[in-house]
Amino acid sequence: MRKTVFITGATSGIGEACARKFAQGGYNLIITARRAEKLAEIKAQLEAEGAKVKTLTFDVRDAQAAQAAVESLDEEWQKIDVLINNAGLALGLDKEYEGDPEDWNTMIDTNIKGLLTMTRLIVPGMVKRNEGHVINVGSVAGDAAYAKGNVYCGTKAAVKAITDGLRIDVAETAVRVTNLKPGLVETNFSNVRFHGDNERAENVYKGITPLTGADIADVAFYAASAPKHVQIAEVLILATHQANGSTIHRQ
Ligand code: NDP
Ligand code: 8X3
């Protein structure tokens, strides 16, 4: 029987790449994000390649909408084997005492509370069935703060603690829990972070070959495909010439 993966933030970057990778790997897909049109476009592409795809349009910050979306799934889609909590963002790169509290709230509500909302909705079914896998997209930013990263780094440190906490809480079950911690991945991430300033976004990846969404999707798929007795607990994936969140050697 084909397995089902549920991916948040599947309209771009790492989430979209995960959708493509898991589709190629024979999974049925539930792809979710806020942009319905983009979801429909990806669904059409993947279905043309033979995948079975369901789209759910909601904002992970809206717990009621998330609940309604999950509850709208009919029986054939209810058995979720892999949850990829990927939806997230950074907003701004400012000194903490000069940052925009609205940006902070958006990051905290999306990266932390949104991830918790999806976990709370989907993991009980996994625990009940005594199988499943949660893959949270953390970041190298959660390992240590970097200059002006303050709140974003804090949200990814929270993802690390919340992921570790879940792994403890499901240890008596066969549910596996993974924290993926990418470094520099060229996606829409920096365009979003700099509120649409594309030139500033491009500079983030200058002088270094960054990772791609597909590089991260490969690791997610590997973790999901590992033998049942193997739990890939955490993976730090950096670009070559990147040593951590602060040390990046540019040519
Ligand atoms: P992108 O901006 O390319 O993709 C972000 C995705 O998240 C989009 O599909 C977006 O969809 C979705 N999203 C954002 N906010 C919400 C929301 N409130 N509700 C539902 N979906 C939402 O960035 P990345 O692919 O790079 O980012 C994915 C994850 O990877 C994030 O958690 C990020 O923090 C993390 N990460 C990124 C790194 C990088 O260097 N790029 C490195 C380490 C971690 P839509 O707008 O349609 O809702
Ligand atoms: C995204 C990677 O280093 O830009 O989490 O924060 S970084």
Side-chain angles (χ1 to χ4, degrees), residues 9 11-14 33-35 59-61 86 88 137-139 152 156 182-183 185 187-189:
T11 48
S12 171
I14 296 170
R34 293 166 299 180
R35 285 173 291 164
D59 186 321
V60 292
R61 290 171 296 173
N86 162 77
V137 181
S139 172
Y152 176 69
K156 292 301 183 178
V185 190
T187 62
N188 259 337
F189 178 83

mmCIF file with all atom_site columns, all heavy atoms in Angstrom, residues 9 11-14 33-35 59-61 86 88 137-139 152 156 182-183 185 187-189, ligand 1:
data_model
loop_
_atom_site.group_PDB
_atom_site.id
_atom_site.type_symbol
_atom_site.label_atom_id
_atom_site.label_alt_id
_atom_site.label_comp_id
_atom_site.label_asym_id
_atom_site.label_entity_id
_atom_site.label_seq_id
_atom_site.pdbx_PDB_ins_code
_atom_site.Cartn_x
_atom_site.Cartn_y
_atom_site.Cartn_z
_atom_site.occupancy
_atom_site.B_iso_or_equiv
_atom_site.pdbx_formal_charge
_atom_site.auth_seq_id
_atom_site.auth_comp_id
_atom_site.auth_asym_id
_atom_site.auth_atom_id
_atom_site.pdbx_PDB_model_num
ATOM   1   N N   . GLY A 1 9   ? 3.795  24.053 3.767  1.00 0.00 ? 9   GLY A N   1
ATOM   2   C CA  . GLY A 1 9   ? 4.695  24.943 3.022  1.00 0.00 ? 9   GLY A CA  1
ATOM   3   C C   . GLY A 1 9   ? 5.220  24.287 1.761  1.00 0.00 ? 9   GLY A C   1
ATOM   4   O O   . GLY A 1 9   ? 6.404  24.372 1.440  1.00 0.00 ? 9   GLY A O   1
ATOM   5   N N   . THR A 1 11  ? 4.468  24.998 -1.374 1.00 0.00 ? 11  THR A N   1
ATOM   6   C CA  . THR A 1 11  ? 4.368  25.793 -2.614 1.00 0.00 ? 11  THR A CA  1
ATOM   7   C C   . THR A 1 11  ? 5.705  26.354 -3.077 1.00 0.00 ? 11  THR A C   1
ATOM   8   O O   . THR A 1 11  ? 5.769  27.032 -4.101 1.00 0.00 ? 11  THR A O   1
ATOM   9   C CB  . THR A 1 11  ? 3.400  26.981 -2.414 1.00 0.00 ? 11  THR A CB  1
ATOM   10  O OG1 . THR A 1 11  ? 3.747  27.636 -1.186 1.00 0.00 ? 11  THR A OG1 1
ATOM   11  C CG2 . THR A 1 11  ? 1.964  26.541 -2.407 1.00 0.00 ? 11  THR A CG2 1
ATOM   12  N N   . SER A 1 12  ? 6.767  26.108 -2.321 1.00 0.00 ? 12  SER A N   1
ATOM   13  C CA  . SER A 1 12  ? 8.041  26.750 -2.645 1.00 0.00 ? 12  SER A CA  1
ATOM   14  C C   . SER A 1 12  ? 9.183  26.014 -1.954 1.00 0.00 ? 12  SER A C   1
ATOM   15  O O   . SER A 1 12  ? 8.967  25.268 -1.003 1.00 0.00 ? 12  SER A O   1
ATOM   16  C CB  . SER A 1 12  ? 7.947  28.206 -2.137 1.00 0.00 ? 12  SER A CB  1
ATOM   17  O OG  . SER A 1 12  ? 9.192  28.845 -2.213 1.00 0.00 ? 12  SER A OG  1
ATOM   18  N N   . GLY A 1 13  ? 10.377 26.234 -2.468 1.00 0.00 ? 13  GLY A N   1
ATOM   19  C CA  . GLY A 1 13  ? 11.598 25.848 -1.761 1.00 0.00 ? 13  GLY A CA  1
ATOM   20  C C   . GLY A 1 13  ? 11.661 24.412 -1.286 1.00 0.00 ? 13  GLY A C   1
ATOM   21  O O   . GLY A 1 13  ? 11.415 23.464 -2.040 1.00 0.00 ? 13  GLY A O   1
ATOM   22  N N   . ILE A 1 14  ? 12.000 24.252 -0.031 1.00 0.00 ? 14  ILE A N   1
ATOM   23  C CA  . ILE A 1 14  ? 12.238 22.924 0.544  1.00 0.00 ? 14  ILE A CA  1
ATOM   24  C C   . ILE A 1 14  ? 10.964 22.070 0.519  1.00 0.00 ? 14  ILE A C   1
ATOM   25  O O   . ILE A 1 14  ? 10.998 20.880 0.186  1.00 0.00 ? 14  ILE A O   1
ATOM   26  C CB  . ILE A 1 14  ? 12.789 23.065 1.987  1.00 0.00 ? 14  ILE A CB  1
ATOM   27  C CG1 . ILE A 1 14  ? 14.168 23.754 1.957  1.00 0.00 ? 14  ILE A CG1 1
ATOM   28  C CG2 . ILE A 1 14  ? 12.861 21.711 2.677  1.00 0.00 ? 14  ILE A CG2 1
ATOM   29  C CD1 . ILE A 1 14  ? 14.697 24.170 3.331  1.00 0.00 ? 14  ILE A CD1 1
ATOM   30  N N   . ALA A 1 33  ? -0.403 24.814 1.999  1.00 0.00 ? 33  ALA A N   1
ATOM   31  C CA  . ALA A 1 33  ? 0.201  26.150 2.105  1.00 0.00 ? 33  ALA A CA  1
ATOM   32  C C   . ALA A 1 33  ? -0.949 27.153 2.011  1.00 0.00 ? 33  ALA A C   1
ATOM   33  O O   . ALA A 1 33  ? -2.125 26.746 1.976  1.00 0.00 ? 33  ALA A O   1
ATOM   34  C CB  . ALA A 1 33  ? 1.218  26.390 0.989  1.00 0.00 ? 33  ALA A CB  1
ATOM   35  N N   . ARG A 1 34  ? -0.617 28.451 1.922  1.00 0.00 ? 34  ARG A N   1
ATOM   36  C CA  . ARG A 1 34  ? -1.679 29.462 1.832  1.00 0.00 ? 34  ARG A CA  1
ATOM   37  C C   . ARG A 1 34  ? -2.089 29.739 0.391  1.00 0.00 ? 34  ARG A C   1
ATOM   38  O O   . ARG A 1 34  ? -3.191 30.173 0.140  1.00 0.00 ? 34  ARG A O   1
ATOM   39  C CB  . ARG A 1 34  ? -1.210 30.784 2.469  1.00 0.00 ? 34  ARG A CB  1
ATOM   40  C CG  . ARG A 1 34  ? -1.011 30.699 3.971  1.00 0.00 ? 34  ARG A CG  1
ATOM   41  C CD  . ARG A 1 34  ? -0.231 31.882 4.476  1.00 0.00 ? 34  ARG A CD  1
ATOM   42  N NE  . ARG A 1 34  ? 1.098  31.924 3.869  1.00 0.00 ? 34  ARG A NE  1
ATOM   43  C CZ  . ARG A 1 34  ? 2.015  32.852 4.126  1.00 0.00 ? 34  ARG A CZ  1
ATOM   44  N NH1 . ARG A 1 34  ? 1.741  33.824 4.972  1.00 0.00 ? 34  ARG A NH1 1
ATOM   45  N NH2 . ARG A 1 34  ? 3.193  32.802 3.536  1.00 0.00 ? 34  ARG A NH2 1
ATOM   46  N N   . ARG A 1 35  ? -1.189 29.510 -0.580 1.00 0.00 ? 35  ARG A N   1
ATOM   47  C CA  . ARG A 1 35  ? -1.478 29.894 -1.974 1.00 0.00 ? 35  ARG A CA  1
ATOM   48  C C   . ARG A 1 35  ? -2.113 28.744 -2.746 1.00 0.00 ? 35  ARG A C   1
ATOM   49  O O   . ARG A 1 35  ? -1.422 27.825 -3.207 1.00 0.00 ? 35  ARG A O   1
ATOM   50  C CB  . ARG A 1 35  ? -0.183 30.347 -2.667 1.00 0.00 ? 35  ARG A CB  1
ATOM   51  C CG  . ARG A 1 35  ? 0.269  31.734 -2.233 1.00 0.00 ? 35  ARG A CG  1
ATOM   52  C CD  . ARG A 1 35  ? 1.612  32.073 -2.800 1.00 0.00 ? 35  ARG A CD  1
ATOM   53  N NE  . ARG A 1 35  ? 2.674  31.272 -2.217 1.00 0.00 ? 35  ARG A NE  1
ATOM   54  C CZ  . ARG A 1 35  ? 3.901  31.147 -2.735 1.00 0.00 ? 35  ARG A CZ  1
ATOM   55  N NH1 . ARG A 1 35  ? 4.201  31.752 -3.861 1.00 0.00 ? 35  ARG A NH1 1
ATOM   56  N NH2 . ARG A 1 35  ? 4.818  30.429 -2.124 1.00 0.00 ? 35  ARG A NH2 1
ATOM   57  N N   . ASP A 1 59  ? -3.589 28.555 6.478  1.00 0.00 ? 59  ASP A N   1
ATOM   58  C CA  . ASP A 1 59  ? -2.456 29.227 7.122  1.00 0.00 ? 59  ASP A CA  1
ATOM   59  C C   . ASP A 1 59  ? -2.171 28.471 8.421  1.00 0.00 ? 59  ASP A C   1
ATOM   60  O O   . ASP A 1 59  ? -3.083 28.289 9.239  1.00 0.00 ? 59  ASP A O   1
ATOM   61  C CB  . ASP A 1 59  ? -2.881 30.681 7.403  1.00 0.00 ? 59  ASP A CB  1
ATOM   62  C CG  . ASP A 1 59  ? -1.754 31.545 7.928  1.00 0.00 ? 59  ASP A CG  1
ATOM   63  O OD1 . ASP A 1 59  ? -0.947 31.039 8.737  1.00 0.00 ? 59  ASP A OD1 1
ATOM   64  O OD2 . ASP A 1 59  ? -1.710 32.722 7.565  1.00 0.00 ? 59  ASP A OD2 1
ATOM   65  N N   . VAL A 1 60  ? -0.945 28.013 8.605  1.00 0.00 ? 60  VAL A N   1
ATOM   66  C CA  . VAL A 1 60  ? -0.657 27.222 9.821  1.00 0.00 ? 60  VAL A CA  1
ATOM   67  C C   . VAL A 1 60  ? -0.836 28.034 11.102 1.00 0.00 ? 60  VAL A C   1
ATOM   68  O O   . VAL A 1 60  ? -0.929 27.472 12.197 1.00 0.00 ? 60  VAL A O   1
ATOM   69  C CB  . VAL A 1 60  ? 0.757  26.581 9.817  1.00 0.00 ? 60  VAL A CB  1
ATOM   70  C CG1 . VAL A 1 60  ? 0.887  25.501 8.758  1.00 0.00 ? 60  VAL A CG1 1
ATOM   71  C CG2 . VAL A 1 60  ? 1.858  27.611 9.713  1.00 0.00 ? 60  VAL A CG2 1
ATOM   72  N N   . ARG A 1 61  ? -0.903 29.366 10.962 1.00 0.00 ? 61  ARG A N   1
ATOM   73  C CA  . ARG A 1 61  ? -1.119 30.200 12.156 1.00 0.00 ? 61  ARG A CA  1
ATOM   74  C C   . ARG A 1 61  ? -2.574 30.176 12.615 1.00 0.00 ? 61  ARG A C   1
ATOM   75  O O   . ARG A 1 61  ? -2.883 30.626 13.715 1.00 0.00 ? 61  ARG A O   1
ATOM   76  C CB  . ARG A 1 61  ? -0.721 31.654 11.867 1.00 0.00 ? 61  ARG A CB  1
ATOM   77  C CG  . ARG A 1 61  ? 0.769  31.844 11.701 1.00 0.00 ? 61  ARG A CG  1
ATOM   78  C CD  . ARG A 1 61  ? 1.076  33.238 11.208 1.00 0.00 ? 61  ARG A CD  1
ATOM   79  N NE  . ARG A 1 61  ? 0.528  33.458 9.873  1.00 0.00 ? 61  ARG A NE  1
ATOM   80  C CZ  . ARG A 1 61  ? 0.524  34.634 9.236  1.00 0.00 ? 61  ARG A CZ  1
ATOM   81  N NH1 . ARG A 1 61  ? 1.016  35.706 9.833  1.00 0.00 ? 61  ARG A NH1 1
ATOM   82  N NH2 . ARG A 1 61  ? 0.019  34.736 8.024  1.00 0.00 ? 61  ARG A NH2 1
ATOM   83  N N   . ASN A 1 86  ? 7.264  21.923 7.623  1.00 0.00 ? 86  ASN A N   1
ATOM   84  C CA  . ASN A 1 86  ? 8.262  22.722 6.913  1.00 0.00 ? 86  ASN A CA  1
ATOM   85  C C   . ASN A 1 86  ? 7.888  24.202 6.833  1.00 0.00 ? 86  ASN A C   1
ATOM   86  O O   . ASN A 1 86  ? 8.778  25.055 6.781  1.00 0.00 ? 86  ASN A O   1
ATOM   87  C CB  . ASN A 1 86  ? 8.415  22.123 5.502  1.00 0.00 ? 86  ASN A CB  1
ATOM   88  C CG  . ASN A 1 86  ? 9.073  23.072 4.546  1.00 0.00 ? 86  ASN A CG  1
ATOM   89  O OD1 . ASN A 1 86  ? 10.286 23.260 4.582  1.00 0.00 ? 86  ASN A OD1 1
ATOM   90  N ND2 . ASN A 1 86  ? 8.285  23.721 3.677  1.00 0.00 ? 86  ASN A ND2 1
ATOM   91  N N   . GLY A 1 88  ? 7.492  27.858 7.196  1.00 0.00 ? 88  GLY A N   1
ATOM   92  C CA  . GLY A 1 88  ? 8.201  28.722 8.124  1.00 0.00 ? 88  GLY A CA  1
ATOM   93  C C   . GLY A 1 88  ? 8.879  29.844 7.379  1.00 0.00 ? 88  GLY A C   1
ATOM   94  O O   . GLY A 1 88  ? 8.907  29.873 6.148  1.00 0.00 ? 88  GLY A O   1
ATOM   95  N N   . VAL A 1 137 ? 11.392 20.787 10.095 1.00 0.00 ? 137 VAL A N   1
ATOM   96  C CA  . VAL A 1 137 ? 12.468 21.541 9.462  1.00 0.00 ? 137 VAL A CA  1
ATOM   97  C C   . VAL A 1 137 ? 12.922 22.625 10.441 1.00 0.00 ? 137 VAL A C   1
ATOM   98  O O   . VAL A 1 137 ? 12.261 23.642 10.638 1.00 0.00 ? 137 VAL A O   1
ATOM   99  C CB  . VAL A 1 137 ? 12.045 22.122 8.097  1.00 0.00 ? 137 VAL A CB  1
ATOM   100 C CG1 . VAL A 1 137 ? 13.214 22.882 7.473  1.00 0.00 ? 137 VAL A CG1 1
ATOM   101 C CG2 . VAL A 1 137 ? 11.599 20.994 7.166  1.00 0.00 ? 137 VAL A CG2 1
ATOM   102 N N   . GLY A 1 138 ? 14.017 22.317 11.106 1.00 0.00 ? 138 GLY A N   1
ATOM   103 C CA  . GLY A 1 138 ? 14.658 23.284 11.993 1.00 0.00 ? 138 GLY A CA  1
ATOM   104 C C   . GLY A 1 138 ? 15.640 24.095 11.179 1.00 0.00 ? 138 GLY A C   1
ATOM   105 O O   . GLY A 1 138 ? 15.359 24.477 10.041 1.00 0.00 ? 138 GLY A O   1
ATOM   106 N N   . SER A 1 139 ? 16.819 24.333 11.723 1.00 0.00 ? 139 SER A N   1
ATOM   107 C CA  . SER A 1 139 ? 17.827 25.113 10.989 1.00 0.00 ? 139 SER A CA  1
ATOM   108 C C   . SER A 1 139 ? 19.136 25.105 11.762 1.00 0.00 ? 139 SER A C   1
ATOM   109 O O   . SER A 1 139 ? 19.146 24.959 12.988 1.00 0.00 ? 139 SER A O   1
ATOM   110 C CB  . SER A 1 139 ? 17.351 26.562 10.848 1.00 0.00 ? 139 SER A CB  1
ATOM   111 O OG  . SER A 1 139 ? 18.371 27.381 10.322 1.00 0.00 ? 139 SER A OG  1
ATOM   112 N N   . TYR A 1 152 ? 14.524 34.855 14.873 1.00 0.00 ? 152 TYR A N   1
ATOM   113 C CA  . TYR A 1 152 ? 14.449 33.692 13.965 1.00 0.00 ? 152 TYR A CA  1
ATOM   114 C C   . TYR A 1 152 ? 15.241 32.528 14.556 1.00 0.00 ? 152 TYR A C   1
ATOM   115 O O   . TYR A 1 152 ? 14.748 31.387 14.614 1.00 0.00 ? 152 TYR A O   1
ATOM   116 C CB  . TYR A 1 152 ? 14.972 34.043 12.561 1.00 0.00 ? 152 TYR A CB  1
ATOM   117 C CG  . TYR A 1 152 ? 14.982 32.833 11.650 1.00 0.00 ? 152 TYR A CG  1
ATOM   118 C CD1 . TYR A 1 152 ? 13.789 32.254 11.214 1.00 0.00 ? 152 TYR A CD1 1
ATOM   119 C CD2 . TYR A 1 152 ? 16.184 32.246 11.251 1.00 0.00 ? 152 TYR A CD2 1
ATOM   120 C CE1 . TYR A 1 152 ? 13.795 31.120 10.400 1.00 0.00 ? 152 TYR A CE1 1
ATOM   121 C CE2 . TYR A 1 152 ? 16.197 31.119 10.433 1.00 0.00 ? 152 TYR A CE2 1
ATOM   122 C CZ  . TYR A 1 152 ? 15.001 30.550 10.017 1.00 0.00 ? 152 TYR A CZ  1
ATOM   123 O OH  . TYR A 1 152 ? 15.004 29.430 9.224  1.00 0.00 ? 152 TYR A OH  1
ATOM   124 N N   . LYS A 1 156 ? 13.996 28.633 15.806 1.00 0.00 ? 156 LYS A N   1
ATOM   125 C CA  . LYS A 1 156 ? 14.543 27.351 15.357 1.00 0.00 ? 156 LYS A CA  1
ATOM   126 C C   . LYS A 1 156 ? 15.185 26.589 16.533 1.00 0.00 ? 156 LYS A C   1
ATOM   127 O O   . LYS A 1 156 ? 15.236 25.350 16.508 1.00 0.00 ? 156 LYS A O   1
ATOM   128 C CB  . LYS A 1 156 ? 15.523 27.569 14.200 1.00 0.00 ? 156 LYS A CB  1
ATOM   129 C CG  . LYS A 1 156 ? 14.826 28.060 12.924 1.00 0.00 ? 156 LYS A CG  1
ATOM   130 C CD  . LYS A 1 156 ? 13.758 27.071 12.420 1.00 0.00 ? 156 LYS A CD  1
ATOM   131 C CE  . LYS A 1 156 ? 13.106 27.502 11.131 1.00 0.00 ? 156 LYS A CE  1
ATOM   132 N NZ  . LYS A 1 156 ? 12.119 26.524 10.617 1.00 0.00 ? 156 LYS A NZ  1
ATOM   133 N N   . PRO A 1 182 ? 18.937 22.591 8.022  1.00 0.00 ? 182 PRO A N   1
ATOM   134 C CA  . PRO A 1 182 ? 19.695 23.071 6.856  1.00 0.00 ? 182 PRO A CA  1
ATOM   135 C C   . PRO A 1 182 ? 20.455 24.356 7.175  1.00 0.00 ? 182 PRO A C   1
ATOM   136 O O   . PRO A 1 182 ? 20.068 25.132 8.052  1.00 0.00 ? 182 PRO A O   1
ATOM   137 C CB  . PRO A 1 182 ? 18.607 23.356 5.813  1.00 0.00 ? 182 PRO A CB  1
ATOM   138 C CG  . PRO A 1 182 ? 17.346 22.741 6.340  1.00 0.00 ? 182 PRO A CG  1
ATOM   139 C CD  . PRO A 1 182 ? 17.490 22.734 7.827  1.00 0.00 ? 182 PRO A CD  1
ATOM   140 N N   . GLY A 1 183 ? 21.505 24.555 6.393  1.00 0.00 ? 183 GLY A N   1
ATOM   141 C CA  . GLY A 1 183 ? 22.202 25.847 6.396  1.00 0.00 ? 183 GLY A CA  1
ATOM   142 C C   . GLY A 1 183 ? 21.654 26.682 5.253  1.00 0.00 ? 183 GLY A C   1
ATOM   143 O O   . GLY A 1 183 ? 20.442 26.776 5.076  1.00 0.00 ? 183 GLY A O   1
ATOM   144 N N   . VAL A 1 185 ? 20.174 27.557 2.050  1.00 0.00 ? 185 VAL A N   1
ATOM   145 C CA  . VAL A 1 185 ? 19.455 26.908 0.951  1.00 0.00 ? 185 VAL A CA  1
ATOM   146 C C   . VAL A 1 185 ? 18.840 28.011 0.092  1.00 0.00 ? 185 VAL A C   1
ATOM   147 O O   . VAL A 1 185 ? 18.109 28.857 0.619  1.00 0.00 ? 185 VAL A O   1
ATOM   148 C CB  . VAL A 1 185 ? 18.307 26.009 1.476  1.00 0.00 ? 185 VAL A CB  1
ATOM   149 C CG1 . VAL A 1 185 ? 17.747 25.158 0.340  1.00 0.00 ? 185 VAL A CG1 1
ATOM   150 C CG2 . VAL A 1 185 ? 18.760 25.123 2.630  1.00 0.00 ? 185 VAL A CG2 1
ATOM   151 N N   . THR A 1 187 ? 16.237 29.473 -1.828 1.00 0.00 ? 187 THR A N   1
ATOM   152 C CA  . THR A 1 187 ? 14.783 29.313 -2.044 1.00 0.00 ? 187 THR A CA  1
ATOM   153 C C   . THR A 1 187 ? 14.204 30.733 -2.032 1.00 0.00 ? 187 THR A C   1
ATOM   154 O O   . THR A 1 187 ? 14.946 31.700 -2.186 1.00 0.00 ? 187 THR A O   1
ATOM   155 C CB  . THR A 1 187 ? 14.158 28.506 -0.884 1.00 0.00 ? 187 THR A CB  1
ATOM   156 O OG1 . THR A 1 187 ? 14.357 29.256 0.333  1.00 0.00 ? 187 THR A OG1 1
ATOM   157 C CG2 . THR A 1 187 ? 14.785 27.126 -0.709 1.00 0.00 ? 187 THR A CG2 1
ATOM   158 N N   . ASN A 1 188 ? 12.938 30.844 -1.727 1.00 0.00 ? 188 ASN A N   1
ATOM   159 C CA  . ASN A 1 188 ? 12.344 32.180 -1.557 1.00 0.00 ? 188 ASN A CA  1
ATOM   160 C C   . ASN A 1 188 ? 12.624 32.768 -0.183 1.00 0.00 ? 188 ASN A C   1
ATOM   161 O O   . ASN A 1 188 ? 12.194 33.885 0.130  1.00 0.00 ? 188 ASN A O   1
ATOM   162 C CB  . ASN A 1 188 ? 10.819 32.088 -1.725 1.00 0.00 ? 188 ASN A CB  1
ATOM   163 C CG  . ASN A 1 188 ? 10.408 32.558 -3.090 1.00 0.00 ? 188 ASN A CG  1
ATOM   164 O OD1 . ASN A 1 188 ? 11.122 33.323 -3.742 1.00 0.00 ? 188 ASN A OD1 1
ATOM   165 N ND2 . ASN A 1 188 ? 9.255  32.101 -3.526 1.00 0.00 ? 188 ASN A ND2 1
ATOM   166 N N   . PHE A 1 189 ? 13.305 31.986 0.649  1.00 0.00 ? 189 PHE A N   1
ATOM   167 C CA  . PHE A 1 189 ? 13.519 32.343 2.050  1.00 0.00 ? 189 PHE A CA  1
ATOM   168 C C   . PHE A 1 189 ? 14.038 33.778 2.232  1.00 0.00 ? 189 PHE A C   1
ATOM   169 O O   . PHE A 1 189 ? 13.493 34.555 3.022  1.00 0.00 ? 189 PHE A O   1
ATOM   170 C CB  . PHE A 1 189 ? 14.509 31.334 2.654  1.00 0.00 ? 189 PHE A CB  1
ATOM   171 C CG  . PHE A 1 189 ? 14.888 31.573 4.076  1.00 0.00 ? 189 PHE A CG  1
ATOM   172 C CD1 . PHE A 1 189 ? 14.091 31.122 5.113  1.00 0.00 ? 189 PHE A CD1 1
ATOM   173 C CD2 . PHE A 1 189 ? 16.067 32.250 4.399  1.00 0.00 ? 189 PHE A CD2 1
ATOM   174 C CE1 . PHE A 1 189 ? 14.454 31.336 6.436  1.00 0.00 ? 189 PHE A CE1 1
ATOM   175 C CE2 . PHE A 1 189 ? 16.433 32.459 5.712  1.00 0.00 ? 189 PHE A CE2 1
ATOM   176 C CZ  . PHE A 1 189 ? 15.630 31.998 6.736  1.00 0.00 ? 189 PHE A CZ  1
HETATM 177 P P1  . NDP B 2 .   ? 10.290 29.418 1.041  1.00 0.00 ? 1   NDP B P1  1
HETATM 178 O O1  . NDP B 2 .   ? 9.946  30.847 1.328  1.00 0.00 ? 1   NDP B O1  1
HETATM 179 O O2  . NDP B 2 .   ? 10.772 29.083 -0.328 1.00 0.00 ? 1   NDP B O2  1
HETATM 180 O O3  . NDP B 2 .   ? 9.065  28.475 1.390  1.00 0.00 ? 1   NDP B O3  1
HETATM 181 C C1  . NDP B 2 .   ? 8.304  28.665 2.555  1.00 0.00 ? 1   NDP B C1  1
HETATM 182 C C2  . NDP B 2 .   ? 7.017  27.854 2.458  1.00 0.00 ? 1   NDP B C2  1
HETATM 183 O O4  . NDP B 2 .   ? 6.290  28.016 3.676  1.00 0.00 ? 1   NDP B O4  1
HETATM 184 C C3  . NDP B 2 .   ? 6.121  28.319 1.328  1.00 0.00 ? 1   NDP B C3  1
HETATM 185 O O5  . NDP B 2 .   ? 5.571  27.188 0.703  1.00 0.00 ? 1   NDP B O5  1
HETATM 186 C C4  . NDP B 2 .   ? 5.024  29.116 2.026  1.00 0.00 ? 1   NDP B C4  1
HETATM 187 O O6  . NDP B 2 .   ? 3.818  28.962 1.300  1.00 0.00 ? 1   NDP B O6  1
HETATM 188 C C5  . NDP B 2 .   ? 4.948  28.386 3.375  1.00 0.00 ? 1   NDP B C5  1
HETATM 189 N N1  . NDP B 2 .   ? 4.427  29.214 4.450  1.00 0.00 ? 1   NDP B N1  1
HETATM 190 C C6  . NDP B 2 .   ? 4.973  30.327 4.980  1.00 0.00 ? 1   NDP B C6  1
HETATM 191 N N2  . NDP B 2 .   ? 4.172  30.821 5.930  1.00 0.00 ? 1   NDP B N2  1
HETATM 192 C C7  . NDP B 2 .   ? 3.101  30.003 6.012  1.00 0.00 ? 1   NDP B C7  1
HETATM 193 C C8  . NDP B 2 .   ? 1.927  29.983 6.786  1.00 0.00 ? 1   NDP B C8  1
HETATM 194 N N3  . NDP B 2 .   ? 1.695  30.927 7.701  1.00 0.00 ? 1   NDP B N3  1
HETATM 195 N N4  . NDP B 2 .   ? 1.039  28.990 6.607  1.00 0.00 ? 1   NDP B N4  1
HETATM 196 C C9  . NDP B 2 .   ? 1.258  28.028 5.686  1.00 0.00 ? 1   NDP B C9  1
HETATM 197 N N5  . NDP B 2 .   ? 2.348  27.984 4.917  1.00 0.00 ? 1   NDP B N5  1
HETATM 198 C C10 . NDP B 2 .   ? 3.249  28.971 5.066  1.00 0.00 ? 1   NDP B C10 1
HETATM 199 O O7  . NDP B 2 .   ? 11.401 29.036 2.113  1.00 0.00 ? 1   NDP B O7  1
HETATM 200 P P2  . NDP B 2 .   ? 12.178 27.671 2.426  1.00 0.00 ? 1   NDP B P2  1
HETATM 201 O O8  . NDP B 2 .   ? 11.734 26.582 1.557  1.00 0.00 ? 1   NDP B O8  1
HETATM 202 O O9  . NDP B 2 .   ? 13.600 28.005 2.464  1.00 0.00 ? 1   NDP B O9  1
HETATM 203 O O10 . NDP B 2 .   ? 11.695 27.435 3.930  1.00 0.00 ? 1   NDP B O10 1
HETATM 204 C C11 . NDP B 2 .   ? 11.093 26.257 4.376  1.00 0.00 ? 1   NDP B C11 1
HETATM 205 C C12 . NDP B 2 .   ? 11.523 25.990 5.799  1.00 0.00 ? 1   NDP B C12 1
HETATM 206 O O11 . NDP B 2 .   ? 12.933 25.771 5.815  1.00 0.00 ? 1   NDP B O11 1
HETATM 207 C C13 . NDP B 2 .   ? 11.257 27.111 6.788  1.00 0.00 ? 1   NDP B C13 1
HETATM 208 O O12 . NDP B 2 .   ? 10.808 26.551 8.004  1.00 0.00 ? 1   NDP B O12 1
HETATM 209 C C14 . NDP B 2 .   ? 12.634 27.741 6.968  1.00 0.00 ? 1   NDP B C14 1
HETATM 210 O O13 . NDP B 2 .   ? 12.767 28.380 8.198  1.00 0.00 ? 1   NDP B O13 1
HETATM 211 C C15 . NDP B 2 .   ? 13.504 26.522 6.854  1.00 0.00 ? 1   NDP B C15 1
HETATM 212 N N6  . NDP B 2 .   ? 14.911 26.738 6.537  1.00 0.00 ? 1   NDP B N6  1
HETATM 213 C C16 . NDP B 2 .   ? 15.269 27.406 5.393  1.00 0.00 ? 1   NDP B C16 1
HETATM 214 C C17 . NDP B 2 .   ? 16.603 27.571 5.100  1.00 0.00 ? 1   NDP B C17 1
HETATM 215 C C18 . NDP B 2 .   ? 17.082 28.344 3.915  1.00 0.00 ? 1   NDP B C18 1
HETATM 216 O O14 . NDP B 2 .   ? 18.249 28.758 3.900  1.00 0.00 ? 1   NDP B O14 1
HETATM 217 N N7  . NDP B 2 .   ? 16.268 28.558 2.904  1.00 0.00 ? 1   NDP B N7  1
HETATM 218 C C19 . NDP B 2 .   ? 17.630 26.998 5.964  1.00 0.00 ? 1   NDP B C19 1
HETATM 219 C C20 . NDP B 2 .   ? 17.140 26.353 7.153  1.00 0.00 ? 1   NDP B C20 1
HETATM 220 C C21 . NDP B 2 .   ? 15.823 26.207 7.387  1.00 0.00 ? 1   NDP B C21 1
HETATM 221 P P3  . NDP B 2 .   ? 2.652  30.053 1.090  1.00 0.00 ? 1   NDP B P3  1
HETATM 222 O O15 . NDP B 2 .   ? 3.316  31.384 0.962  1.00 0.00 ? 1   NDP B O15 1
HETATM 223 O O16 . NDP B 2 .   ? 1.968  29.590 -0.147 1.00 0.00 ? 1   NDP B O16 1
HETATM 224 O O17 . NDP B 2 .   ? 1.809  29.908 2.301  1.00 0.00 ? 1   NDP B O17 1
#
